[in-house]
Amino acid sequence: MANCSLSKMISVEKVDTRSKYDRFDAFLSDKGRLIYSAPFRRMQQKAQVFSLESNSAVRSRLSHSLEVAHIGSYISHAIAKEIRSTNYHINENMEFWLEHELSINTIVETTCLMHDVGNPPFGHFGESTISEWFKNNDRIALILSKAGIIEGNKNLCECTKKDISLNDFTMFDGNPQAIRIATKLQGEDGLTGLNFTYTQIAASLKYTYGGKGFVKDKTNHLSSKLGYFSTEEDIVNNTWEALDIPINGRHPLTFIMEAADDISYCTSDIDDGIENEVVLEEKLFKFIISETSNETIIDDDIAEILKICKGERKNNKISTFTEFKTKLSKKLVAHAAKEFFSHFDEIMQCKYNQPLLNEKDKTNQTLLILRLLKKFTRENIFNHRDVEMIELSGHSIITGILNCYQPLLELTGDNFNALVCNKEADVSKVASRLYRTLPEKCLKSYRAQIEKNTGNKHIEWNLRSHLIIDYISGMTDQYALELYQSLTGIKVK
């Protein structure tokens, strides 16, 4: 294992070396490249929980990401305070942290702002809908047969699944899609994307296992989900090599983004539920009081939070829920910072693989409240009829769009290449018209990758599937609805 050093992991080196920056300028440039990008702007019309919501007070993915960035910066600052206040010897990595605190904070903010940029329309339900569509072996076997990849009515074997990297789609997730957007889709050449520093790419890699040979390991949190697609395996490996991070190692700053996201959504989803009158704050407080009634509370801060739930207020200038949320967030930030500091050396050596807010720790009363909030959200918001009905609509919309674009996946590689090269092709009028709806940025990435993999029909089909999914996952909720209505003839413009 490499001897990891923060000075190596906070590097200005980029994929495209034509751009030269000083340390802080490089990370400020990364942040600018993200916030001026179209995928970042599109998050304002992607739902956090309530899709197709007209109430602008309810969070979108964009407003949620801004809140996560604030909390991530808060945690980063709290870690620096922990380092400054320690009575122990400050090592080289700690000294580097304090010296480059502004750069570190900027990387954390950008990582937080980017964490949901790859999410498809209709959020996590959209992710599962894409996965389910590609998990239908009969459907995929029929498509591959028409595309000339498997013969006749042969079953879809595991070997073929591996050859076409079907995991990219059956385990589709917004996190690897975000890496794909940043490293491929946003660039004019289809190869360098936003041309982030290797540091920013690594810090944005929430899960560190992926690629062609991905196997989920239930004992390793960092393999909980697919971390990157087969198409980005090369750039991820190059990133680790450039930063001296061991294979499958997590960048230290990623822990902060993960904790910030947990802290943010555990209260914001309930806040939105209250705003939309899906749930009353009184119900939340009664639930927390009931669930903690048999607990011996020894944490003074948690005792204060429970007093707020019981109506014992100290700040009448804000709502009860706002006071509750503020105190809990401060407590969770402090806990995350202390956890990071207590495992500082392990994290720096890329040997730590647990979240900072580890809900498996049943002894910590701060995490008890976090678990209760997530339980309450599952039972009273995610399972609410209005939310579930929108999710069912989202499922129909995304499934319908995938069904409509299936003819493009059924083409042989030669016929699809003819469309790409604007040559005469033996394809249906439907397929040719569907092809012309695809965005140029997605097509640029496809063309660039095909040039590197000429003649491999399995990789070509994988890249073609990514082309379709890149288009769909980039859609806003409203655009997906309108496209579905147009393609299916429900609404003709």
Side-chain angles (χ1 to χ4, degrees), residues 351-397:
K351 295 179 180 179
Y352 195 68
N353 64 5
Q354 297 300 316
L356 299 179
L357 302 177
N358 190 348
E359 294 174 49
K360 294 178 182 178
D361 181 0
K362 304 297 184 183
T363 63
N364 189 284
Q365 295 186 335
T366 304
L367 300 179
L368 166 64
I369 302 297
L370 181 65
R371 286 195 298 273
L372 292 178
L373 288 180
K374 290 185 178 181
K375 180 181 179 182
F376 181 85
T377 304
R378 284 194 303 271
E379 295 176 356
N380 297 278
I381 297 178
F382 295 159
N383 291 342
H384 190 274
R385 183 181 183 277
D386 292 350
V387 175
E388 290 188 334
M389 285 301 294
I390 289 292
E391 288 182 334
L392 289 171
S393 297
H395 179 271
S396 297
I397 290 167

Side-chain angles (χ1 to χ4, degrees), residues 214-224 353-354 360:
F214 174 76
V215 178
K216 185 175 181 178
D217 179 0
K218 292 182 179 179
T219 65
N220 187 342
H221 171 66
L222 304 187
S223 74
S224 298
N353 64 5
Q354 297 300 316
K360 294 178 182 178

Side-chain angles (χ1 to χ4, degrees), residues 467-489:
L467 170 61
I468 305 299
I469 298 305
D470 289 341
Y471 180 33
I472 294 173
S473 64
M475 296 175 186
T476 63
D477 299 349
Q478 186 65 37
Y479 183 86
L481 169 61
E482 291 172 0
L483 180 65
Y484 169 70
Q485 290 174 332
S486 295
L487 290 173
T488 55

Side-chain angles (χ1 to χ4, degrees), residues 5-41:
S5 166
L6 196 57
S7 63
K8 292 180 181 177
M9 291 188 283
I10 307 294
S11 166
V12 300
E13 187 178 351
K14 286 176 173 280
V15 178
D16 186 338
T17 58
R18 287 174 295 177
S19 302
K20 301 291 184 182
Y21 293 93
D22 293 332
R23 194 182 297 273
F24 175 63
D25 291 346
F27 306 127
L28 204 57
S29 171
D30 285 346
K31 185 177 179 181
R33 288 162 190 258
L34 174 66
I35 64 177
Y36 288 108
S37 70
F40 184 75
R41 292 193 298 275

